[in-house]
């Protein structure tokens, strides 16, 4: 059965320096509170994995947590560049960052292979693409049955995965609604899984049986963090805070402004602050 613990404990007891770690979320349910707690605790030399690294990975990279980034698309959605990521790649600030770029299809298949306990993912992809020239982890193999050339990438098996979800029940089962993305497969592929949730309910007996449920035995720890996905959204709870994404472009463009913002809004903040931000968002709406 998954443990119910404070977020600070969940991060401290599941994440280690040098780990491969995914803070997964696809436009929705991004585990921002968990990532901020990792920043506060000062982890280093992490391999960050995610299909769509956005603002929260920009923050982690800018604060020096990352040694390597394994990713597909990277950007501030609807706005443009990840400026702290670009500074790390082009200028080595705050230190050099190794990158391993894939397509969305490759990342999704790699998580699925990890969840299935397979060593690699095999799929149709990268035909006519140039990415294989700069990523040695993209290989091509011949199908023994058809002779077709297929792409292969290593399975993703993170040391730990963090996701955000709507609800957990008292037994530690987790309900994920809306755009699920690759969260389910990421949890099943990981050695350890931490889930932040909006609330805890008695059970899921009144819900449709085909909803996405992560059973308690797939989850290591659960932390209740209302608003824990802000500024992304949580279906059924609060909307996306588009203004925050627009503001981030200016903040991240300047190293000193970035550091000042991180000190005020992350290093000096707490998980409880997320609930207050979401309440302000609801009041404004």
């Amino acid at each position: 059965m998954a443990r119910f613990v404070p977020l600070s404990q969940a991060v401290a007891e599941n994440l280690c320096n040098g780990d491969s770690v995914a803070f997964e979320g696809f436009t929705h349910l991004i585990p921002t509170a968990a990532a901020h707690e990792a920043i506060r605790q000062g982890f280093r030399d992490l391999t960050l994995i995610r299909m769509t690294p956005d603002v929260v990975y920009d923050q982690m990279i800018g604060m020096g947590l990352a040694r390597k980034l394994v990713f597909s698309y990277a950007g501030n959605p609807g706005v443009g560049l990840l400026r702290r990521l670009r500074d790390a790649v082009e200028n080595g600030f705050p230190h050099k960052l190794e990158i391993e770029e894939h397509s969305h299809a490759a990342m999704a298949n790699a998580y699925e292979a990890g969840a299935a306990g397979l060593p690699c993912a095999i799929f149709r992809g990268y035909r006519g693409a140039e990415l294989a020239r700069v990523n040695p982890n993209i290989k091509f193999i011949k199908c023994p049955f058809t002779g077709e050339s297929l792409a292969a990438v290593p399975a993703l098996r993170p040391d730990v995965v963090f996701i955000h979800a709507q609800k957990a029940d008292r037994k530690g089962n987790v309900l994920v609604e809306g755009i699920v993305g690759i969260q389910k497969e990421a949890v099943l592929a990981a050695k350890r899984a931490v889930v932040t949730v909006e609330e805890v309910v008695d059970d899921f007996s009144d819900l449709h049986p085909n909803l996405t449920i992560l059973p308690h035995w797939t989850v290591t720890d659960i932390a209740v963090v209302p608003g824990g996905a802000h500024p992304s959204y949580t279906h059924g709870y609060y909307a996306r805070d588009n203004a925050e994404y627009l503001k981030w472009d200016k903040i991240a463009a300047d190293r000193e402004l970035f550091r000042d913002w991180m000190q005020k809004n992350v290093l000096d903040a707490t998980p409880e602050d997320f609930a207050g931000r979401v309440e302000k968002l609801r009041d404004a709406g």
Side-chain angles (χ1 to χ4, degrees), residues 46-143:
L46 300 177
T47 295
L48 297 180
I49 303 168
R50 190 165 153 204
M51 279 185 64
T52 55
D54 64 353
V55 166
V56 73
Y57 270 34
D58 211 27
Q59 294 169 357
M60 299 179 81
I61 291 165
M63 293 299 286
L65 276 69
R67 177 188 66 83
K68 180 178 179 179
L69 178 65
V70 181
F71 70 108
S72 46
Y73 164 83
N76 183 347
V79 181
L81 300 171
L82 290 181
R83 297 186 182 276
R84 293 298 90 222
L85 168 59
R86 182 169 182 170
D87 202 7
V89 172
E90 293 185 349
N91 304 310
F93 184 87
H95 55 70
K96 187 176 179 180
L97 179 70
E98 182 182 350
I99 60 172
E100 180 180 327
E101 186 175 1
H102 289 280
S103 67
H104 279 348
M107 292 286 289
N109 277 279
Y111 272 128
E112 289 182 348
L118 297 172
C120 68
I122 300 171
F123 61 104
R124 289 187 177 92
Y126 292 123
R127 293 178 178 178
E130 299 292 318
L131 202 53
R133 293 189 179 186
V134 296
N135 184 348
N137 277 333
I138 299 171
K139 307 288 187 182
F140 293 92
I141 64 171
K142 183 178 180 180
C143 174

Side-chain angles (χ1 to χ4, degrees), residues 2 147 156 168 173 200 240 255:
L156 286 173
N173 302 304
V200 177
R240 187 178 189 268
R255 293 176 183 176

